[in-house]
Amino acid sequence: MRPFSYQRASDPDMAVRALSAAAAASNPLTKAAAQPLAGGTTLIDLMKLDVMRPAAIVDINSLAQGWSAIEPGSEALRLGALAKMSDVAAHAEIERNYPVIANSLKLAASAQLRNMATLAGNVMQRTRCSYFRDVSYENCNKRNPGSGCAAMDGVNRMHAVLGTSDQCVATYPGDFAQALVALDAMVEITGKAGTRSMPFAQLHKTPGNTPDIETMLQPGELISAFSVPGQWPRSVYLKARDRQSYEFALSSAAVALDVQGGTIRDARVALGGVATVPWRAREAEALLKGQKFDDGLAQRVADAAFADAKGRQHNGFKIALGKRVVMRALQQAVTMEIRS
Amino acid sequence: MTAAAPEPKANMGQPVPRYDAASKVTGRATYASDMPLDNPAHAFLVTSAIAKGRVDSFDLDDARAVRGVIDIVTHENAPKLKESKLFSNGGYAGTTIQPLKSADIAHDGQIIAVVIAESYEAAREAANRVKVSYTAVAPSASFGSPGTTTAAAKGQNAQFKEDPQVGDFARAFDEAEVKLTASYDTPPQHHNPMELFTTSCAWMGDNLVIYEGSQYVYGLKNGVAEQLGIDADKVRVVNPYVGGGFGSRGSMTPRTAIIAGIAKRLNRPIKLVPTRDQGFTITTHRAETRHEIRLGASRDGKLVALRHEGAEVSSRPDAYCVGGTKTTTRLYACPNVASLVSIVRADRNTPGFMRSPPEVPYLFALESAMDELAVKLNMDPVELRRINDTTVEPIGGKPYTSRSLMACFDEAAKAFGWSQRSPQPKSMSDGDWLIGYGCAATCYPTQMAPSAARVRLQRDGRTRVEIAGHEIGTGAYTVIAQTAAERLGVPLDKVAVFLGDSELPPAPVAGGSNSTASTCSAVMMVCDQIRQRLFKAVMPSDSLTDKAKETVGLSQAPSTQAAKSDRPLDIEKAFDALGAGVVEEYGEWKPEGAPLDSFKAMHSGHARIVGGHAMKDKIAYAFGAEFVEVRINRFTHEIRCPRLVGAFAAGRIMNPRTARSQLMGGLIWGMSSALLEATEIDQRNARYVNDNLADYLVPVNADVAGVEVILLSEQDDHINPAGAKGLGELANVGTNAAICNAIYHATGQRIRKLPVRLENIEA
Amino acid sequence: MSENSSSRRSGFDRRAFVAGVAGSALVPLTARAVAQDAKAPAAQDPALPVDVTLRVNGKDKRLQLDARTTVLDALREHLKLTGSKKGCDHGQCGACTVLIDDRRVVSCLTLALAAEGQEITTIEGLATNDRLHPMQQAFIDNDAFQCGYCTPGQIMSALACVKEGHAGSDADIREYMSGNICRCAAYPNIVAAVKQAAPEIMKG
């Protein structure tokens, strides 16, 4: 871990100023000289590994007073960026009206980490690619642009099959972001110029030729809130993994359905553990709309979701697995009892 | 009484709570890195990013510029250390690859520099700033890699003396009515004890104190002294508590002498806390293995031919192997047996003991094959074991001192509900889950080694037991205290036990499940010496028969009613008669068959372990039977193991509470080995990839639901005075096969390669 | 990737970080200081120790720490409270679990500076007047440990698990205790201990 200056920001303006001041124009956010510290579960971890080397840390936890509210409404759910994962997961109205959100959070990490990690920090968490996390490997395009990718032909069981490029196959590791992307969430971003909103689906960038640029967030910008339109009581987060708990997904699916009289009026499908970013399977969703559910439909949806998937040496199984996870999540969503 | 404290059956001690329980639940138990040091400097390791080649140069400018850096030690300026031979060749070392001796690199993650700084933070930063230029050579990673060499273990590993065989395997197999040939693979695994591989070294003049979690303080003391070229009496190893061993701390690793040498040079205590990932390469591991099993049987299930060929990966310089054929060729009655163990050399660190080293991989193969044979024979797998059960091992014709294998099968089968199993594969399910039942035998050799002990008894009954044993979680303090209390007839709460210090009388390595048998036998012997002195003082020599002297306990409560020969001896009266305030005895115990040099070797850190198949006219093993239920999700193919039932017979059970816990842990280890654990190797560069606790998967609480341990009563008077067979390694042996056998039952798919992951389950 | 006779260097270029280090807009290093603090130095060598006051088990502890020091290392190396253990240093094992403001966290990923002003409770703070906490007693009664290294973290986690209301069933306990790895695998006994202690903890 490199030395850094530490300061606490007492309000958003100060945080933004501090983060912007240290920002060099040429650096992507992930290498910005100043990094915000919230729960610290990604930042401190990666600093210890020498993967991240900020010269300044801006502790934004004092902003939680204004930025951690959990506000369910009939039109939309608003979640403060600094709300803790555990608090959101345990919120009764979220459990009732957004089970996909509650469960994506409950099935992530451990109780301790969920107590520390904030929602914004969680969606910004970085890949678990072993080669990215080990600086003794020079060849990581995410860390050292243009240096190559050790994972491509290395041990890549955990790596992505969707959204990959010839530069990077690192998996986006989170769970909650799949729920957000499925539910058409908006993300509110606070920066020097004030506050702007964008669809959450646009926040993360697939690696393409710039795997070091992971999100649309600019240095000096902070996520201040998320909002989720509508209510999705018929929603499921299904996560497959080797261990029963405390493990990143091999494959997961966030599914939300609006079923009326046996007909699917609206459907959302997002995939985790298999893609480089929180992955919305829009073509697959389209097959569901206006249809009555059966297993054949589920199969077609699953096939569509993974139509473009490309496996590598050790992760090819994720395609078949991912399809079965989607099918099962759909079945569970269709048959689940809605608490009113 | 809680489930944690089972009611003792015949030949079992009391399930008293752990001697060290209060220390452990309050945070007062001090592990190596908890020991206070006076103004320590902090060390941080730099390890190699290549597996083979050499360091061309270091650029240390950035690192040296870090505020607080005191020194950076590389091969260019490292303390000169003498070589230590591999433990199996009469040395102390777990590897003969000595880092910092030259620029050469022999395996991934080899120590290439040590940064010393005023703080941990500065040392870590400077280590990160060390720049290294390498010349890398393409390494051989594992089985099948170009450049590996293969040769028979016999002749290159001094501890592997023979490939057991008897009869005419080729002919018998050829003529067998039913035949099976199958190959099995097991992966490399790492112990990952919770305590990191910390080492602190502090010199006082010419005397060195080492705080390091060790399973063998005498071995470490003597080994480090040898490497430093100093008298072993100048070195003291202290570790009253060890945060898990599992074999990882049994032999000396290179780090200790390096840190000691640097501490000497800098004249300052040094504390090294390696990272978890460094622990994967600076210590040992369980090597990957491959097996081919051939079984021939008659139609009624009698084995007529058995051949087990095993291959194990080791490092270039060291011919380490576990050679489990010594067990698998002797487990069942079979007149025609052949075997061969080979060692494959690759550019890897030298492997070492990991919990049940030979039996885990080799019994996985044999017990899987037995299940496959049962399927071929259309026979219940339990019955196949019964048909081939034996009281005499087939290779040398020696009798088992005791063998309760089938009793274990019957007890465990009953508790598990084996009779509810529908034998057809894919015939049981529950909602989303396919259900499979499986079972396997488990066994582990009964081993003992010479041990000393010192016991001090005071007039008021207070007792102090000193022995350089090791508390690695097994309950060593507890069973030693119980042994002394019982033998001396004093209340348990008056017994103080001191372990984990090489200044104490020597005990063997806490490995091979020999500790309880060895240390308790020594403590019993020394307690008897005290009893003898007291009896002699208080009674005319002929007033008690020798037998009575052996059986009559000391007690502080004088009993006037009892007949003279049964009367407990009043300690206070005895002390008065002796005219002493304290009686202290030291003694050295060695098991039957231990070599002549046993005691000398014991003091110089060489444990002469005897037992198992290597006894003169008998063979001693503990046995068990394990039954598991696996559930496989129809959709995700996730594999869960909600029930593990094991029945075990291991001679005297000193404490059913600690015994149950240890066996329970073993069963869960077995499950972990079958379903989760594997160290992934990047085949291109022979480097470990998942070297952390998020990626090297061990079970978490949610992975474990029902575990039932059944302790069978067994008495064996032919093994050691304590009558104990050892438990630490018994339970995790059979589980691998039991789980794969259950997966076959659930799915109809036979998986012969560990670990079994969801992608290995076909649709 | 060919390893043949290639020359490699470890680490990557840090020039990228030279620009834009903590400049004048940045406020001071001590956690309590705020932007408005006029006395705060504008820029300071970040490698110098800073003053930190940690409140641990009800007592204020004044320390001078490297800003990089975690709560875990502050407890262990500076306050000699070695009950909290380092098992991975990356939030992967739970051995370092402590309570901060009554919530369980991994102290290895918590900067000491960031914990200033908060109440830290460690295993050393549980027993009162040499009387074991009910959870400690339950761990003994149920033999919920072997080597004991993960135990302080398990107990702190267990305490929070009960207070969070996650000890209602065996399945809940197992799930919510899954952030604490026990390599000796005392898990069933840990579940039994949490069950035993839960009613008493909820009462008082």
Side-chain angles (χ1 to χ4, degrees), chain B residues 18 24-25 31 33-34 67 125 129-130 132 136 191 271 276 660-661 669 677 699 702 704, chain C residues 3 5 8-10 14 45 68 76-77 85 87 136 141 143 146-148 174 178 183 187 189:
Chain B
R18 284 173 197 263
K24 284 179 173 173
V25 300
Y31 302 80
S33 61
D34 303 337
R67 184 192 305 272
E125 181 196 351
R129 290 185 188 273
V130 169
V132 191
H191 318 77
K271 179 171 187 173
R276 175 61 61 181
R660 172 185 171 272
S661 284
W669 258 65
E677 286 182 48
V704 182
Chain C
E3 297 285 339
S5 300
R8 299 164 47 130
R9 280 155 45 106
S10 76
R14 58 182 267 282
D45 183 342
R68 294 169 289 187
R76 291 183 51 78
E77 304 296 333
K85 301 296 188 230
Q136 291 172 316
D141 294 345
D143 206 42
Q146 291 177 41
C147 82
R174 287 197 288 263
S178 281
R183 185 57 160 155
Y187 296 127
N189 291 356

Short mmCIF file of all heavy atoms in Angstrom, two decimals, chain B residues 18 24-25 31 33-34 67 125 129-130 132 136 191 271 276 660-661 669 677 699 702 704, chain C residues 3 5 8-10 14 45 68 76-77 85 87 136 141 143 146-148 174 178 183 187 189:
data_model
loop_
_atom_site.label_atom_id
_atom_site.label_comp_id
_atom_site.label_asym_id
_atom_site.label_seq_id
_atom_site.Cartn_x
_atom_site.Cartn_y
_atom_site.Cartn_z
N ARG B 18 -12.57 -28.07 27.30
CA ARG B 18 -11.15 -27.89 26.99
C ARG B 18 -10.43 -27.12 28.10
O ARG B 18 -10.94 -26.12 28.59
CB ARG B 18 -10.98 -27.12 25.68
CG ARG B 18 -11.25 -27.98 24.49
CD ARG B 18 -11.26 -27.19 23.19
NE ARG B 18 -11.91 -28.01 22.19
CZ ARG B 18 -11.25 -28.78 21.31
NH1 ARG B 18 -9.94 -28.76 21.26
NH2 ARG B 18 -11.92 -29.54 20.46
N LYS B 24 -9.18 -19.27 25.00
CA LYS B 24 -9.51 -19.16 23.58
C LYS B 24 -10.76 -18.30 23.33
O LYS B 24 -10.87 -17.68 22.28
CB LYS B 24 -9.67 -20.55 22.96
CG LYS B 24 -8.30 -21.21 22.72
CD LYS B 24 -8.40 -22.59 22.13
CE LYS B 24 -7.00 -23.10 21.76
NZ LYS B 24 -7.01 -24.53 21.34
N VAL B 25 -11.70 -18.29 24.26
CA VAL B 25 -12.90 -17.48 24.01
C VAL B 25 -12.74 -16.03 24.47
O VAL B 25 -13.60 -15.20 24.20
CB VAL B 25 -14.17 -18.08 24.65
CG1 VAL B 25 -14.44 -19.47 24.10
CG2 VAL B 25 -14.08 -18.09 26.18
N TYR B 31 -1.01 -16.62 20.18
CA TYR B 31 -0.41 -17.30 19.04
C TYR B 31 0.89 -16.55 18.69
O TYR B 31 1.16 -15.47 19.24
CB TYR B 31 -1.40 -17.33 17.88
CG TYR B 31 -2.69 -18.03 18.27
CD1 TYR B 31 -3.67 -17.36 19.00
CD2 TYR B 31 -2.89 -19.37 17.98
CE1 TYR B 31 -4.83 -18.02 19.40
CE2 TYR B 31 -4.04 -20.03 18.38
CZ TYR B 31 -5.01 -19.35 19.09
OH TYR B 31 -6.15 -20.00 19.50
N SER B 33 2.11 -14.58 16.48
CA SER B 33 2.18 -13.15 16.16
C SER B 33 1.57 -12.29 17.26
O SER B 33 1.54 -11.07 17.14
CB SER B 33 1.49 -12.87 14.83
OG SER B 33 0.13 -13.23 14.91
N ASP B 34 1.07 -12.92 18.32
CA ASP B 34 0.53 -12.16 19.45
C ASP B 34 1.58 -11.91 20.52
O ASP B 34 1.34 -11.17 21.48
CB ASP B 34 -0.63 -12.93 20.11
CG ASP B 34 -1.75 -13.25 19.14
OD1 ASP B 34 -1.86 -12.56 18.12
OD2 ASP B 34 -2.51 -14.21 19.40
N ARG B 67 10.28 5.78 3.55
CA ARG B 67 10.58 6.18 4.92
C ARG B 67 10.39 5.00 5.87
O ARG B 67 9.35 4.34 5.84
CB ARG B 67 9.64 7.32 5.33
CG ARG B 67 9.92 7.90 6.72
CD ARG B 67 8.78 8.80 7.16
NE ARG B 67 8.51 9.86 6.19
CZ ARG B 67 9.12 11.04 6.18
NH1 ARG B 67 10.02 11.32 7.10
NH2 ARG B 67 8.81 11.94 5.27
N GLU B 125 5.03 -1.46 1.73
CA GLU B 125 5.17 -0.52 0.61
C GLU B 125 6.51 -0.72 -0.11
O GLU B 125 6.57 -0.79 -1.33
CB GLU B 125 5.07 0.92 1.10
CG GLU B 125 5.19 1.92 -0.06
CD GLU B 125 5.48 3.35 0.39
OE1 GLU B 125 5.42 3.62 1.60
OE2 GLU B 125 5.77 4.17 -0.48
N ARG B 129 7.65 -1.90 -3.94
CA ARG B 129 8.46 -1.04 -4.82
C ARG B 129 9.75 -1.72 -5.28
O ARG B 129 10.53 -1.12 -6.02
CB ARG B 129 8.80 0.27 -4.09
CG ARG B 129 7.60 1.20 -3.90
CD ARG B 129 8.06 2.50 -3.29
NE ARG B 129 6.97 3.39 -2.90
CZ ARG B 129 6.39 4.27 -3.72
NH1 ARG B 129 6.79 4.36 -4.98
NH2 ARG B 129 5.41 5.04 -3.29
N VAL B 130 10.00 -2.91 -4.83
CA VAL B 130 11.17 -3.65 -5.30
C VAL B 130 10.93 -4.05 -6.76
O VAL B 130 9.90 -4.64 -7.08
CB VAL B 130 11.43 -4.90 -4.44
CG1 VAL B 130 12.48 -5.81 -5.09
CG2 VAL B 130 11.88 -4.49 -3.04
N VAL B 132 12.27 -6.18 -10.01
CA VAL B 132 13.09 -7.36 -10.26
C VAL B 132 13.17 -7.62 -11.76
O VAL B 132 12.15 -7.58 -12.44
CB VAL B 132 12.49 -8.61 -9.58
CG1 VAL B 132 13.49 -9.76 -9.61
CG2 VAL B 132 12.05 -8.30 -8.16
N ALA B 136 13.61 -15.79 -17.28
CA ALA B 136 12.65 -16.86 -17.02
C ALA B 136 12.88 -18.02 -17.98
O ALA B 136 13.18 -17.81 -19.15
CB ALA B 136 11.23 -16.33 -17.16
N HIS B 191 -3.09 -26.31 2.97
CA HIS B 191 -3.65 -26.47 4.31
C HIS B 191 -4.50 -25.28 4.72
O HIS B 191 -5.56 -25.45 5.29
CB HIS B 191 -2.54 -26.62 5.34
CG HIS B 191 -1.40 -27.49 4.92
ND1 HIS B 191 -0.43 -27.06 4.04
CD2 HIS B 191 -1.07 -28.74 5.26
CE1 HIS B 191 0.45 -28.03 3.85
NE2 HIS B 191 0.09 -29.06 4.58
N LYS B 271 9.67 -9.22 13.23
CA LYS B 271 8.37 -9.87 13.15
C LYS B 271 7.98 -9.99 11.69
O LYS B 271 7.90 -8.99 10.98
CB LYS B 271 7.34 -9.04 13.91
CG LYS B 271 5.93 -9.61 13.88
CD LYS B 271 5.03 -8.83 14.83
CE LYS B 271 3.66 -9.49 14.93
NZ LYS B 271 2.83 -8.86 15.96
N ARG B 276 -1.45 -14.12 3.16
CA ARG B 276 -2.09 -15.40 2.87
C ARG B 276 -1.56 -15.98 1.56
O ARG B 276 -1.27 -17.18 1.47
CB ARG B 276 -3.60 -15.21 2.84
CG ARG B 276 -4.45 -16.40 2.45
CD ARG B 276 -4.33 -17.60 3.36
NE ARG B 276 -4.74 -17.37 4.73
CZ ARG B 276 -4.67 -18.31 5.68
NH1 ARG B 276 -4.26 -19.53 5.40
NH2 ARG B 276 -5.02 -18.02 6.93
N ARG B 660 -14.92 -36.01 19.39
CA ARG B 660 -16.03 -35.77 18.46
C ARG B 660 -15.75 -34.55 17.59
O ARG B 660 -15.97 -34.57 16.38
CB ARG B 660 -17.33 -35.57 19.24
CG ARG B 660 -18.50 -35.13 18.38
CD ARG B 660 -19.73 -34.82 19.22
NE ARG B 660 -20.78 -34.21 18.43
CZ ARG B 660 -20.89 -32.89 18.23
NH1 ARG B 660 -20.00 -32.07 18.76
NH2 ARG B 660 -21.87 -32.40 17.49
N SER B 661 -15.26 -33.49 18.23
CA SER B 661 -15.01 -32.27 17.46
C SER B 661 -13.97 -32.51 16.37
O SER B 661 -14.10 -32.04 15.24
CB SER B 661 -14.52 -31.15 18.39
OG SER B 661 -15.61 -30.62 19.12
N TRP B 669 -13.66 -31.63 6.53
CA TRP B 669 -12.47 -31.53 5.67
C TRP B 669 -12.61 -32.45 4.47
O TRP B 669 -12.25 -32.10 3.35
CB TRP B 669 -11.21 -31.93 6.46
CG TRP B 669 -10.39 -30.77 6.90
CD1 TRP B 669 -10.77 -29.80 7.78
CD2 TRP B 669 -9.06 -30.46 6.49
NE1 TRP B 669 -9.73 -28.91 7.94
CE2 TRP B 669 -8.68 -29.29 7.17
CE3 TRP B 669 -8.16 -31.06 5.62
CZ2 TRP B 669 -7.42 -28.70 6.99
CZ3 TRP B 669 -6.89 -30.48 5.46
CH2 TRP B 669 -6.54 -29.30 6.14
N GLU B 677 -11.99 -27.96 -2.57
CA GLU B 677 -10.59 -27.54 -2.52
C GLU B 677 -9.75 -27.99 -3.70
O GLU B 677 -9.67 -29.17 -4.00
CB GLU B 677 -9.93 -28.08 -1.25
CG GLU B 677 -10.37 -27.36 -0.01
CD GLU B 677 -9.67 -27.87 1.22
OE1 GLU B 677 -8.43 -28.01 1.19
OE2 GLU B 677 -10.37 -28.12 2.21
N PRO B 699 -14.98 -24.79 3.22
CA PRO B 699 -16.40 -24.62 3.58
C PRO B 699 -16.62 -23.44 4.52
O PRO B 699 -15.77 -23.11 5.34
CB PRO B 699 -16.74 -25.93 4.30
CG PRO B 699 -15.67 -26.88 3.93
CD PRO B 699 -14.44 -26.07 3.67
N ALA B 702 -22.49 -22.23 6.22
CA ALA B 702 -23.69 -22.63 5.49
C ALA B 702 -23.50 -23.91 4.67
O ALA B 702 -24.48 -24.51 4.22
CB ALA B 702 -24.14 -21.49 4.56
N VAL B 704 -22.36 -26.60 5.85
CA VAL B 704 -22.39 -27.74 6.76
C VAL B 704 -23.72 -27.76 7.50
O VAL B 704 -24.06 -26.79 8.18
CB VAL B 704 -21.23 -27.63 7.78
CG1 VAL B 704 -21.24 -28.84 8.69
CG2 VAL B 704 -19.90 -27.51 7.05
N GLU C 3 7.30 -17.86 -21.58
CA GLU C 3 8.15 -17.46 -20.48
C GLU C 3 9.63 -17.57 -20.84
O GLU C 3 10.49 -17.32 -20.04
CB GLU C 3 7.87 -18.34 -19.25
CG GLU C 3 6.48 -18.21 -18.72
CD GLU C 3 6.32 -16.90 -17.96
OE1 GLU C 3 7.31 -16.32 -17.52
OE2 GLU C 3 5.18 -16.45 -17.80
N SER C 5 13.08 -17.15 -21.58
CA SER C 5 14.14 -16.12 -21.55
C SER C 5 13.62 -14.70 -21.71
O SER C 5 14.27 -13.86 -22.28
CB SER C 5 15.16 -16.41 -22.66
OG SER C 5 15.71 -17.68 -22.44
N ARG C 8 11.54 -9.71 -17.25
CA ARG C 8 10.31 -9.12 -16.71
C ARG C 8 10.64 -8.24 -15.52
O ARG C 8 11.63 -8.42 -14.85
CB ARG C 8 9.36 -10.23 -16.24
CG ARG C 8 8.95 -11.15 -17.34
CD ARG C 8 8.35 -12.40 -16.74
NE ARG C 8 7.41 -12.03 -15.70
CZ ARG C 8 6.20 -12.50 -15.62
NH1 ARG C 8 5.75 -13.34 -16.51
NH2 ARG C 8 5.41 -12.16 -14.64
N ARG C 9 9.78 -7.32 -15.31
CA ARG C 9 9.89 -6.48 -14.12
C ARG C 9 8.60 -6.59 -13.34
O ARG C 9 7.53 -6.67 -13.89
CB ARG C 9 10.09 -5.02 -14.53
CG ARG C 9 11.53 -4.67 -14.92
CD ARG C 9 11.54 -3.47 -15.86
NE ARG C 9 10.65 -2.41 -15.39
CZ ARG C 9 11.09 -1.27 -14.83
NH1 ARG C 9 12.36 -1.09 -14.64
NH2 ARG C 9 10.26 -0.34 -14.47
N SER C 10 8.75 -6.62 -12.05
CA SER C 10 7.53 -6.68 -11.26
C SER C 10 7.00 -5.27 -11.05
O SER C 10 7.72 -4.29 -11.10
CB SER C 10 7.81 -7.34 -9.91
OG SER C 10 8.46 -6.44 -9.08
N ARG C 14 4.69 3.84 -11.92
CA ARG C 14 3.89 4.66 -11.04
C ARG C 14 3.92 6.13 -11.42
O ARG C 14 3.46 6.98 -10.68
CB ARG C 14 4.32 4.47 -9.59
CG ARG C 14 5.77 4.79 -9.29
CD ARG C 14 6.02 4.50 -7.83
NE ARG C 14 5.85 5.66 -6.98
CZ ARG C 14 6.75 6.64 -6.86
NH1 ARG C 14 7.85 6.60 -7.56
NH2 ARG C 14 6.53 7.65 -6.04
N ASP C 45 3.62 15.44 4.28
CA ASP C 45 4.14 14.18 3.79
C ASP C 45 3.21 13.06 4.26
O ASP C 45 3.05 12.84 5.45
CB ASP C 45 5.55 13.97 4.36
CG ASP C 45 6.18 12.71 3.82
OD1 ASP C 45 5.42 11.84 3.32
OD2 ASP C 45 7.40 12.58 3.90
N ARG C 68 -1.97 4.48 6.89
CA ARG C 68 -2.36 3.22 6.25
C ARG C 68 -2.75 2.14 7.25
O ARG C 68 -3.17 1.05 6.86
CB ARG C 68 -1.20 2.71 5.38
CG ARG C 68 -0.89 3.63 4.22
CD ARG C 68 0.40 3.26 3.55
NE ARG C 68 1.57 3.58 4.35
CZ ARG C 68 2.83 3.48 3.93
NH1 ARG C 68 3.07 3.05 2.71
NH2 ARG C 68 3.85 3.80 4.72
N ARG C 76 -3.75 -4.68 17.19
CA ARG C 76 -2.77 -5.74 17.46
C ARG C 76 -1.37 -5.19 17.72
O ARG C 76 -0.70 -5.60 18.65
CB ARG C 76 -2.71 -6.71 16.27
CG ARG C 76 -3.97 -7.56 16.10
CD ARG C 76 -3.80 -8.55 14.95
NE ARG C 76 -2.58 -9.31 15.11
CZ ARG C 76 -2.42 -10.32 15.93
NH1 ARG C 76 -3.44 -10.74 16.65
NH2 ARG C 76 -1.27 -10.95 16.02
N GLU C 77 -0.95 -4.27 16.86
CA GLU C 77 0.45 -3.85 16.91
C GLU C 77 0.66 -2.61 17.80
O GLU C 77 1.75 -2.37 18.26
CB GLU C 77 0.97 -3.55 15.49
CG GLU C 77 0.83 -4.71 14.51
CD GLU C 77 1.66 -5.94 14.91
OE1 GLU C 77 2.69 -5.78 15.58
OE2 GLU C 77 1.25 -7.06 14.54
N LYS C 85 -7.77 -11.36 15.25
CA LYS C 85 -6.73 -12.08 14.53
C LYS C 85 -6.67 -11.71 13.06
O LYS C 85 -7.67 -11.36 12.44
CB LYS C 85 -6.97 -13.59 14.62
CG LYS C 85 -6.99 -14.14 16.04
CD LYS C 85 -5.65 -13.99 16.72
CE LYS C 85 -5.61 -14.71 18.06
NZ LYS C 85 -5.11 -13.87 19.14
N GLY C 87 -6.20 -13.30 9.61
CA GLY C 87 -6.23 -14.60 8.93
C GLY C 87 -6.06 -14.45 7.43
O GLY C 87 -5.63 -15.39 6.75
N GLN C 136 -19.48 -16.31 25.07
CA GLN C 136 -18.21 -16.99 25.34
C GLN C 136 -18.47 -18.31 26.06
O GLN C 136 -17.89 -19.35 25.72
CB GLN C 136 -17.31 -16.08 26.18
CG GLN C 136 -16.82 -14.85 25.42
CD GLN C 136 -16.09 -13.86 26.32
OE1 GLN C 136 -16.54 -13.56 27.43
NE2 GLN C 136 -14.98 -13.33 25.83
N ASP C 141 -19.28 -24.33 26.23
CA ASP C 141 -20.20 -25.44 26.49
C ASP C 141 -20.37 -26.33 25.26
O ASP C 141 -20.55 -27.53 25.37
CB ASP C 141 -21.58 -24.91 26.90
CG ASP C 141 -21.53 -24.19 28.25
OD1 ASP C 141 -20.52 -24.36 28.97
OD2 ASP C 141 -22.49 -23.46 28.57
N ASP C 143 -18.20 -26.62 22.73
CA ASP C 143 -16.92 -26.93 22.10
C ASP C 143 -16.84 -26.34 20.69
O ASP C 143 -16.50 -27.04 19.72
CB ASP C 143 -16.68 -28.45 22.06
CG ASP C 143 -15.19 -28.78 22.04
OD1 ASP C 143 -14.43 -28.14 22.79
OD2 ASP C 143 -14.79 -29.67 21.27
N GLN C 146 -11.60 -25.31 17.89
CA GLN C 146 -10.51 -26.26 18.13
C GLN C 146 -9.22 -25.47 18.32
O GLN C 146 -8.81 -25.21 19.45
CB GLN C 146 -10.44 -27.29 17.01
CG GLN C 146 -11.67 -28.23 17.06
CD GLN C 146 -11.72 -29.24 15.94
OE1 GLN C 146 -10.72 -29.82 15.57
NE2 GLN C 146 -12.91 -29.47 15.39
N CYS C 147 -8.61 -25.02 17.22
CA CYS C 147 -7.35 -24.29 17.42
C CYS C 147 -7.58 -22.95 18.09
O CYS C 147 -6.70 -22.40 18.72
CB CYS C 147 -6.59 -24.15 16.11
SG CYS C 147 -7.12 -22.80 15.04
N GLY C 148 -8.77 -22.37 17.92
CA GLY C 148 -9.11 -21.15 18.62
C GLY C 148 -8.74 -19.86 17.91
O GLY C 148 -9.07 -18.78 18.38
N ARG C 174 -26.51 -20.42 10.27
CA ARG C 174 -25.46 -20.90 9.36
C ARG C 174 -25.15 -19.86 8.30
O ARG C 174 -24.00 -19.57 7.99
CB ARG C 174 -25.90 -22.21 8.69
CG ARG C 174 -25.86 -23.40 9.63
CD ARG C 174 -25.89 -24.71 8.87
NE ARG C 174 -27.17 -25.01 8.29
CZ ARG C 174 -28.08 -25.80 8.84
NH1 ARG C 174 -27.84 -26.38 10.00
NH2 ARG C 174 -29.21 -26.03 8.24
N SER C 178 -21.65 -17.23 8.06
CA SER C 178 -20.79 -17.73 6.99
C SER C 178 -19.64 -16.78 6.64
O SER C 178 -18.78 -17.13 5.84
CB SER C 178 -21.61 -18.05 5.74
OG SER C 178 -22.23 -19.30 5.89
N ARG C 183 -11.29 -23.14 9.89
CA ARG C 183 -10.66 -24.21 9.13
C ARG C 183 -10.73 -25.53 9.89
O ARG C 183 -10.71 -26.59 9.28
CB ARG C 183 -9.21 -23.81 8.82
CG ARG C 183 -8.46 -24.79 7.93
CD ARG C 183 -9.14 -25.05 6.60
NE ARG C 183 -8.21 -25.57 5.61
CZ ARG C 183 -8.58 -26.32 4.58
NH1 ARG C 183 -9.85 -26.64 4.40
NH2 ARG C 183 -7.67 -26.75 3.71
N TYR C 187 -18.12 -25.81 12.76
CA TYR C 187 -19.37 -25.13 12.42
C TYR C 187 -20.61 -25.64 13.16
O TYR C 187 -21.37 -24.84 13.72
CB TYR C 187 -19.61 -25.18 10.91
CG TYR C 187 -18.57 -24.43 10.10
CD1 TYR C 187 -17.89 -25.04 9.07
CD2 TYR C 187 -18.27 -23.10 10.38
CE1 TYR C 187 -16.93 -24.35 8.32
CE2 TYR C 187 -17.32 -22.41 9.64
CZ TYR C 187 -16.66 -23.04 8.59
OH TYR C 187 -15.73 -22.35 7.86
N ASN C 189 -20.94 -26.96 15.97
CA ASN C 189 -20.86 -26.55 17.37
C ASN C 189 -21.02 -25.04 17.52
O ASN C 189 -21.54 -24.57 18.54
CB ASN C 189 -19.52 -26.99 17.97
CG ASN C 189 -19.42 -28.51 18.11
OD1 ASN C 189 -20.38 -29.22 17.83
ND2 ASN C 189 -18.27 -28.99 18.52
#
